[in-house]
Amino acid sequence: MTFDLLTTDPHSKARAGVVHTDHGPIETPIFMPVGTAGTVKAVQQRDLKDDINAQIILGNTYHLYLRPGLDIISKAGGLHKFNGWDRPILTDSGGYQVYSLSGTRKIKEEGVKFRSHIDGSQHLFSPEGVMDIQRTIGADIIMAFDECTPWPCEYDYAARSLDMTHRWLKRCIARFDSTEGHYGYSQTLFPIVQGSTFRDLRIKSAEFIAEQGREGNAIGGLSVGEPAELMYEMTELVCDILPQDKPRYLMGVGTPANILENIALGVDMFDCVMPTRNARNGMLFTTQGIMNIAARKWADDFEPIDAELGGYVSTFYSRSYVRHLFHSKEMLGPQIASIHNLTFYLWLVKQARQHILAGTFREWKDVMVKKLMTRL
């Protein structure tokens, strides 16, 4: 994998670039739809490509390892062949999912022992094992195995956790560099900066990750409940340390406003379940603000969901009709909403990129952040 940094906005730290993978280019800044179990919920691959124009999607190591399992994925020829997606894929290492299983897992130097949320069976995720699993899944970009600390957490816990995450990273790198991909194309390993919201720990981690010299780097452990301003502070601190010539991926972020503010701080890649999860609950993100499509005010509004956005579902279906689908509990409602929200997120980062290239990002961002937080 290679990264071409094309330009930096003159009035912020926002960057525009291109990540090159064997499954195609990724124009940054980019938002990556989350396909946890090998599918972006309620969205077909054709819609992801033709309407949403996703350039890369996510899969999750924990969920894919448990179901359908590595044997099925391997027999299929990797996740790309299994789900029919021929563009880049990134896999999360499963560290966050294991973190969320706090009642059924034990973290030790060896790795993490946990019980499956499906059948209660016991499993061990080690740094080496997670590298092997992600080799079998076959994503273009794979993540190091780390511990995601909760917020808030005690300084001593965060410090111990960080040191272990760094030791785990060295084991991940050794295993990754001593193995080959299974399917004839290259894979890239991203380390993850941790350190909770403690400045000295974040600096220590960012410096350590930068020293590893990998093709890209990630920032983890944010968007876990801390105030947005604290997230921005940690992100800016880390981005100022990570190499300029490598893509930076802020994991699990976030709202449209979060994305624009973090682009301004130097982040290139984002993912979040928010657009699809909120869509299934009737919250639509639009070019004019946030819409609760189930509200009474849309009952006789026959305008398109968002005429300015473009895309098939956003311009074809009326607000009244989509509201009717939600109130009737028709499956089509969440499907339309999911496609619309993802179309919006991809539109947003594309607009950001165009303004970065034009040198007008900062002024545009300040206007858009206010507009996108408006409740319609």
Side-chain angles (χ1 to χ4, degrees):
M1 192 204 82
T2 59
F3 177 61
D4 293 331
L5 178 59
L6 302 180
T7 190
T8 300
D9 178 63
H11 306 294
S12 72
K13 298 172 183 176
R15 300 133 51 90
V18 184
V19 176
H20 299 278
T21 77
D22 287 354
H23 279 103
I26 306 161
E27 295 183 337
T28 63
I30 192 65
F31 178 81
M32 305 178 283
V34 177
T36 300
T39 172
V40 177
K41 282 193 192 322
V43 181
Q44 295 189 64
Q45 321 302 34
R46 181 180 61 188
D47 295 324
L48 276 172
K49 288 183 70 172
D50 298 343
D51 211 19
I52 297 164
N53 195 26
Q55 298 178 48
I56 175 174
I57 62 173
L58 265 67
N60 182 263
T61 295
Y62 168 85
H63 289 280
L64 291 167
Y65 163 79
L66 291 176
R67 190 166 53 194
L70 299 183
D71 184 52
I72 296 294
I73 292 174
S74 180
K75 285 180 179 177
L79 184 57
H80 288 89
K81 294 285 182 64
F82 185 54
N83 71 0
W85 181 254
D86 61 2
R87 294 179 180 178
I89 296 176
L90 181 150
T91 41
D92 185 357
S93 69
Y96 181 82
Q97 281 65 38
V98 170
Y99 144 79
S100 66
L101 294 171
S102 56
T104 59
R105 49 94 165 138
K106 292 183 179 179
I107 302 174
K108 297 184 177 181
E109 189 69 31
E110 178 188 11
V112 180
K113 291 182 178 178
F114 64 93
R115 290 190 177 275
S116 164
H117 72 285
I118 299 170
D119 60 9
S121 56
Q122 282 197 318
H123 303 268
L124 170 69
F125 269 9
S126 67
E128 294 81 5
V130 167
M131 293 300 96
D132 294 346
I133 293 167
Q134 290 186 91
R135 284 291 200 193
T136 300
I137 293 171
D140 301 84
I141 299 172
I142 75 175
M143 305 308 297
F145 191 54
D146 64 336
E147 183 189 1
C148 177
T149 51
W151 187 89
C153 72
E154 296 292 330
Y155 180 89
D156 288 348
Y157 181 90
R160 290 195 305 272
S161 172
L162 180 64
D163 288 342
M164 185 174 67
T165 284
H166 288 172
R167 292 193 297 272
W168 282 359
L169 173 60
K170 298 298 283 188
R171 289 165 59 188
C172 286
I173 290 172
R175 184 60 152 238
F176 181 83
D177 287 349
S178 65
T179 57
E180 298 288 337
H182 296 190
Y183 308 111
Y185 53 84
S186 64
Q187 294 177 285
T188 297
L189 171 65
F190 278 25
I192 304 172
V193 176
Q194 288 289 352
S196 187
T197 53
F198 301 104
R199 289 182 64 87
D200 61 324
L201 297 184
R202 282 286 172 179
I203 292 170
K204 176 183 177 180
S205 187
E207 291 176 344
F208 181 82
I209 266 60
E211 289 170 1
Q212 307 311 308
R214 309 311 294 190
E215 289 85 5
N217 300 294
I219 305 168
L222 296 176
S223 193
V224 291
E226 79 284 355
E229 291 308 316
L230 205 46
M231 178 212 306
Y232 300 147
E233 180 187 342
M234 293 300 107
T235 299
E236 183 171 27
L237 184 69
V238 169
C239 283
D240 286 348
I241 296 170
L242 292 178
Q244 293 284 322
D245 60 345
K246 308 289 177 63
R248 304 166 183 149
Y249 163 32
L250 180 58
M251 305 179 75
V253 175
T255 68
N258 289 158
I259 288 174
L260 292 184
E261 295 292 3
N262 281 297
I263 288 174
L265 300 175
V267 174
D268 306 296
M269 304 169 70
F270 301 86
D271 80 287
C272 190
V273 297
M274 179 173 283
T276 46
R277 178 178 289 168
N278 287 23
R280 296 193 297 275
N281 294 316
M283 178 185 282
L284 304 185
F285 298 100
T286 78
T287 56
Q288 304 305 311
I290 299 169
M291 178 186 300
N292 174 12
I293 199 62
R296 176 70 184 84
K297 66 186 295 184
W298 311 116
D300 58 355
D301 187 332
F302 302 107
E303 292 297 312
I305 300 170
D306 190 349
E308 186 178 324
L309 181 60
Y312 174 71
V313 304
S314 307
T315 58
F316 182 83
Y317 294 107
S318 74
R319 299 163 179 179
S320 174
Y321 180 63
V322 178
R323 178 184 185 273
H324 158 71
L325 294 175
F326 270 90
H327 278 267
S328 302
K329 299 192 179 344
E330 287 287 343
M331 293 171 61
L332 183 59
Q335 286 182 283
I336 290 171
S338 297
I339 295 170
H340 165 81
N341 275 358
L342 288 173
T343 301
F344 169 80
Y345 266 64
L346 269 295
W347 170 87
L348 185 66
V349 292
K350 185 176 181 180
Q351 289 289 307
R353 189 175 198 273
Q354 290 173 354
H355 282 279
I356 295 167
L357 292 170
T360 57
F361 172 78
R362 177 62 184 270
E363 183 179 355
W364 170 83
K365 184 268 293 183
D366 289 344
V367 172
M368 286 300 291
V369 164
K370 294 177 183 177
K371 181 187 288 189
L372 298 179
M373 294 174 71
T374 303
R375 294 277 177 166
L376 300 178

